Amino acid sequence: MKVSVIGAGNVGAKAVYYIAEKNIADIVMVDVVDGLAGSKAMDFLHAAPLRGYEVRIRGTTDFGEIEGSDVVVITAGIARKPGMDRMDLLKTNVGIAAQAAREIAFRAPNAVVIVVTNPLDVISMVVLRETGFALRKVVGMAGVLDSTRFRWFIAEKLGVWPGDVQAMVLGGHGDEMVPLTRYTSVGGIPLDQLLDAPGIEALVKRTRTGGVEIVSLLKTGSAFYAPGASVAKMVEAVIKDERRLFPASAYLRGEYGFRDIYLGVPVVMGRNGVERIVELPLTDGERKSLNDSAEAVRKGLAELSTVMGEKA
Ligand code: APR
């Protein structure tokens, strides 16, 4: 099995590390910066005798090497620099993702594509359009990350093993994410049996701002360990056809009442990508939060139309 990761920056390289550590598949890293992917691949391989991985890892600037990949992850993009407005950033990242998508369509037509580049829900749409792939083959990584943060904050608060906490976070990847506390449990016990409402609300708040909190501490970039681990989890689900149920940004065709939009929903991930979208009954409050979240994504899509219009 072969996984390619486009963009060997912080998130891409960390994803490769986790994929290698679990011997999930052979890996190709592609980055435009000469020597960046190659040097990281070499460095990873030097650790193979110590860490026990047997997979092949290559780093290159040549998209030709993604040929025949089973999964391709797109992390390529640029971060916002001082003086750059949102639309400039969007325009650049749309261009980078569109180029990657065309290469994937040409060289790895059977791949499942996992999109990581932000703004996630909008870039996923760009990749879907540019690859022309089936809807289930293009999926965005956001919910696994948002929910693992929520899981960690709950585990920390309750002093329990993090793996025993299960959580579901829906909606767009941003401040408008919708942590579903009713569908969150610890060892099968609903969260509200273990924490009072203000306690839960504080953790929800922390989850919403988890990414921002890291940016403000790190200053030179954004989170990459948990995002890399989240990517590896999704890659593994596809490569091993595990049928894992977790939230991801999927293209909706009426599910949850939305159409023609990428939004975080519970999915079952397997060999074909999104094998199925799981619809949950929502309360009025949850429904309103999800609507607000979708509205924010729609605004992003309107910006995308402007950017695409300018390009034409
Ligand atoms: N082709 C391949 N690689 C590219 C291209 C391209 N056209 N353009 C940029 N890159 C590479 C950069 O050279 C860089 O190494 O993408 C990499 C991005 O890495 P970082 O700048 O370290 O960013 P990172 O923190 O990994 O985040 C990547 O994931 O979580 C999101 O918001 C985040 O959109 C960002 C993405």
Side-chain angles (χ1 to χ4, degrees):
M1 287 290 197
K2 177 172 172 181
V3 175
S4 292
V5 177
I6 315 296
N10 281 334
V11 177
K14 195 46 71 184
V16 169
Y17 172 74
Y18 289 127
I19 292 166
E21 286 268 293
K22 286 196 81 179
N23 281 309
I24 294 169
D26 290 335
I27 307 160
V28 170
M29 287 191 274
V30 183
D31 201 289
V32 275
V33 175
D34 191 29
L36 182 74
S39 61
K40 290 188 181 182
M42 210 178 282
D43 201 8
F44 282 140
L45 289 172
H46 293 170
L50 300 174
R51 305 301 304 174
Y53 32 89
E54 298 150 17
V55 296
R56 277 180 288 190
I57 309 176
R58 280 192 52 73
T60 175
T61 54
D62 177 11
F63 270 98
E65 297 208 27
I66 72 170
E67 195 82 46
S69 297
D70 299 286
V71 178
V72 182
V73 180
I74 303 179
T75 74
I78 59 158
R80 195 152 146 193
K81 300 188 183 77
M84 183 184 249
D85 75 14
R86 263 175 61 80
M87 293 302 264
D88 290 337
L89 178 79
L90 183 66
K91 204 169 181 173
T92 305
N93 281 351
V94 164
I96 291 170
Q99 183 216 355
R102 287 190 292 269
E103 295 281 358
I104 295 165
F106 181 55
R107 301 176 192 280
N110 297 317
V112 168
V113 186
I114 298 173
V115 180
V116 182
T117 306
N118 275 319
L120 197 264
D121 306 287
V122 173
I123 297 291
S124 299
M125 186 67 92
V126 171
V127 173
L128 178 75
R129 287 180 188 159
E130 294 291 330
T131 53
F133 281 6
L135 304 178
R136 63 184 181 176
K137 294 270 196 172
V138 179
V139 58
M141 188 291 289
V144 176
L145 172 60
D146 295 330
S147 61
T148 194
R149 285 186 175 136
F150 193 31
R151 292 168 71 186
W152 165 248
F153 291 134
I154 293 166
E156 186 186 34
K157 177 80 186 170
L158 294 176
V160 299
W161 187 59
D164 273 347
V165 183
Q166 291 296 329
M168 186 50 70
V169 177
L170 304 190
H173 187 44
D175 306 345
E176 314 276 335
M177 70 176 80
V178 186
L180 290 184
T181 57
R182 273 191 320 129
Y183 293 107
T184 296
S185 62
V186 183
I189 301 167
L191 186 59
D192 63 5
Q193 301 292 312
L194 301 165
L195 267 177
D196 60 11
I200 294 175
E201 193 43 43
L203 300 182
V204 164
K205 235 189 196 153
R206 189 100 195 268
T207 303
R208 277 189 213 288
T209 55
V212 175
E213 193 178 344
I214 288 176
V215 169
S216 64
L217 284 169
L218 190 60
K219 296 176 189 77
T220 54
S222 48
F224 51 96
Y225 290 103
S230 304
V231 168
K233 180 62 73 188
M234 292 180 75
V235 167
E236 188 174 23
V238 176
I239 294 288
K240 298 186 181 168
D241 195 20
E242 287 179 328
R243 317 255 159 169
R244 299 295 299 261
L245 196 160
F246 45 56
S249 183
Y251 186 92
L252 302 185
R253 279 179 298 179
E255 295 89 350
Y256 289 93
F258 301 108
R259 239 167 230 297
D260 305 326
I261 188 173
Y262 267 89
L263 200 63
V265 290
V267 303
V268 174
M269 282 284 290
R271 190 68 197 90
N272 300 304
V274 176
E275 302 285 352
R276 148 164 132 246
I277 292 171
V278 177
E279 287 200 71
L280 299 170
L282 300 179
T283 62
D284 289 348
E286 289 161 352
R287 158 74 34 206
K288 185 185 174 308
S289 300
L290 194 60
N291 285 344
D292 292 348
S293 190
E295 201 42 52
V297 177
R298 289 239 184 263
K299 270 194 195 135
L301 289 172
E303 290 176 352
L304 174 66
S305 304
T306 314
V307 164
M308 298 300 254
E310 281 173 16
K311 266 174 62 177

